[in-house]
Amino acid sequence: MFSKGLRPIAAAAVITTLVAFALVFFYAPLDADQGFIQKIFYVHVPMAIVALGGFVAGGIMAIKHLRTGDSSWDLRSYVAIHLSIILGTGVLITGAIWAKASWGHWWVWDEPVLVSFLIVFLLYCVYYPLRFSIEDPDRQARYSSVFAIAAGAFVPINFTAVRLAEAVTHPRVLSQTGGSLPGEMRLTFLVCILAMVLLFVTLWKLELTAKRTSAQLKRLRTRLELRAETAG
Amino acid sequence: MPALPLDEAGKYVAGAYVVFLALIVIYVAIIGAKIARIERQVSELLELTDHDEEAGRSEAVHEPEARRSPQDAGLEAPQTDARPDAEQSHQDAGLEAPRR
């Protein structure tokens, strides 16, 4: 039932996540400014990066769908966006926890990074009602793809705009000068990103397998019913 | 703002990591439940097809007898209530009629 390569990727994801957690708590030094609270960084930022990457990947898959007309690309795009929204929820919650501990507020409205991420998140929340309000499968796939492409293009534009904006309180992690992370922190951060990417791919493949099998089952059921009708 | 003491920061850090793990666990549980439902439906379909095949086989066994109707013997067919031959032979043999 499970798609090819799911097991090794799942195993790699679990191992890398465990290694990442070990590095976070036993290897990476405490931040001189924030202390222990900075450990949230290793889960919050990789989740945000992978969520935004997933949105863009969903857009690229949607382009493939419109170019080839193959509906499996639409399904891939949908699952990528769905998973990115779940990670996005995690980003908002962990970010709020970090903000409360670090700045004393759950949310800061005048910070471009926070507000822009919220805008992207809310934009993608519209994807569900749009997709499921259309009954015709072809139209549903086409409209969803168009949305995924437009919103996917918005993500890097939004990211660039935020980079150009002046930071108020939220720090910039990825910069052209390589950021200000020391060696151990940088290594831990990179392992965390790798773990998050592997986790994303594993869950994406898992959901894709479940959806494909469900669709195949539905087809089989319809075919059997038709056969029974013709035999009767 | 000065760094929070470890006992206070620990709560926030634990909270953030629990949120992350909870999201993953809930997601995997939902997908797992879906896959379990699919497996159940597959086994139901298999049972159904097995039952159909079984019914088809027994139908094939009873068919020659049922086919030897009065017409075959050169007699006129009696007027009966219209039960199909296969169904009747199934019921006569104490079997359930084939499912459609």
Side-chain angles (χ1 to χ4, degrees):
Chain A
M1 182 192 265
F2 294 111
S3 70
K4 206 176 154 189
L6 180 62
R7 274 169 204 228
I9 290 178
V14 170
I15 292 167
T16 320
T17 306
L18 291 175
V19 170
F21 277 13
L23 288 176
V24 168
F25 292 107
F26 302 112
Y27 176 71
L30 284 183
D31 184 72
D33 179 37
Q34 294 205 18
F36 190 64
I37 202 75
Q38 185 264 349
K39 300 284 182 193
I40 297 176
F41 162 83
Y42 298 108
V43 68
H44 172 73
V45 180
M47 231 181 342
I49 291 171
V50 173
L52 293 176
F55 287 140
V56 175
I60 293 167
M61 288 164 195
I63 292 174
K64 284 233 176 198
H65 167 243
L66 290 184
R67 281 177 70 107
T68 61
D70 181 359
S71 61
S72 70
W73 284 109
D74 169 60
L75 186 65
R76 288 185 184 119
S77 166
Y78 163 65
V79 173
I81 290 171
H82 175 61
L83 206 46
S84 297
I85 286 179
I86 292 169
L87 289 185
T89 310
V91 173
L92 290 173
I93 298 172
T94 54
I97 293 171
W98 194 6
K100 177 69 181 163
S102 201
W103 307 328
H105 302 285
W106 292 105
W107 189 263
V108 181
W109 281 108
D110 53 5
E111 175 52 54
V113 177
L114 273 67
V115 177
S116 70
F117 191 87
L118 183 67
I119 290 170
V120 170
F121 178 79
L122 292 176
L123 174 70
Y124 275 96
C125 285
V126 178
Y127 180 78
Y128 292 105
L130 172 85
R131 188 178 177 90
F132 296 112
S133 62
I134 304 166
E135 283 183 13
D136 176 41
D138 283 343
R139 272 183 64 208
Q140 184 191 65
R142 238 182 9 256
Y143 284 27
S144 301
S145 290
V146 171
F147 180 91
I149 294 166
F154 176 71
V155 172
I157 293 169
N158 185 57
F159 182 80
T160 313
V162 169
R163 309 272 335 155
L164 295 173
E166 202 179 320
V168 182
T169 42
H170 196 287
R172 302 282 188 263
V173 179
L174 302 172
S175 66
Q176 285 178 334
T177 54
S180 55
L181 286 174
E184 293 101 325
M185 281 186 174
R186 183 186 294 267
L187 176 70
T188 308
F189 177 58
L190 292 176
V191 174
C192 286
I193 289 182
L194 178 68
M196 201 61 77
V197 169
L198 287 172
L199 206 59
F200 183 90
V201 175
T202 304
L203 297 178
W204 179 73
K205 272 181 162 289
L206 187 70
E207 187 172 349
L208 215 52
T209 307
K211 288 220 180 297
R212 276 187 188 142
T213 315
S214 181
Q216 282 170 350
L217 188 68
K218 210 171 167 183
R219 272 213 313 272
L220 183 65
R221 195 182 279 273
T222 315
R223 214 172 282 178
L224 280 172
E225 276 171 7
L226 270 174
R227 210 172 69 178
E229 267 173 32
T230 49
Chain B
M1 189 174 265
L4 287 174
L6 191 65
D7 58 330
E8 203 168 323
K11 282 189 295 188
Y12 289 107
V13 174
Y17 280 84
V18 164
V19 165
F20 166 68
L21 288 176
L23 278 175
I24 302 298
V25 168
I26 291 169
Y27 183 83
V28 171
I30 291 170
I31 299 293
K34 268 187 192 173
I35 290 173
R37 199 183 63 215
I38 290 168
E39 274 187 340
R40 211 172 43 241
Q41 285 176 343
V42 167
S43 58
E44 274 173 21
L45 273 182
L46 267 177
E47 257 177 45
L48 202 70
T49 49
D50 283 351
H51 190 88
D52 275 0
E53 270 177 24
E54 214 172 274
R57 267 201 299 274
S58 63
E59 198 175 303
V61 169
H62 290 287
E63 216 168 47
E65 268 180 48
R67 286 255 179 264
R68 285 182 59 187
S69 56
Q71 292 99 313
D72 294 338
L75 300 170
E76 212 172 286
Q79 291 293 315
T80 55
D81 46 332
R83 267 204 297 172
D85 284 356
E87 198 179 317
Q88 191 168 358
S89 64
H90 261 82
Q91 283 168 7
D92 292 345
L95 296 171
E96 239 180 76
R99 270 184 172 182
R100 302 218 169 116

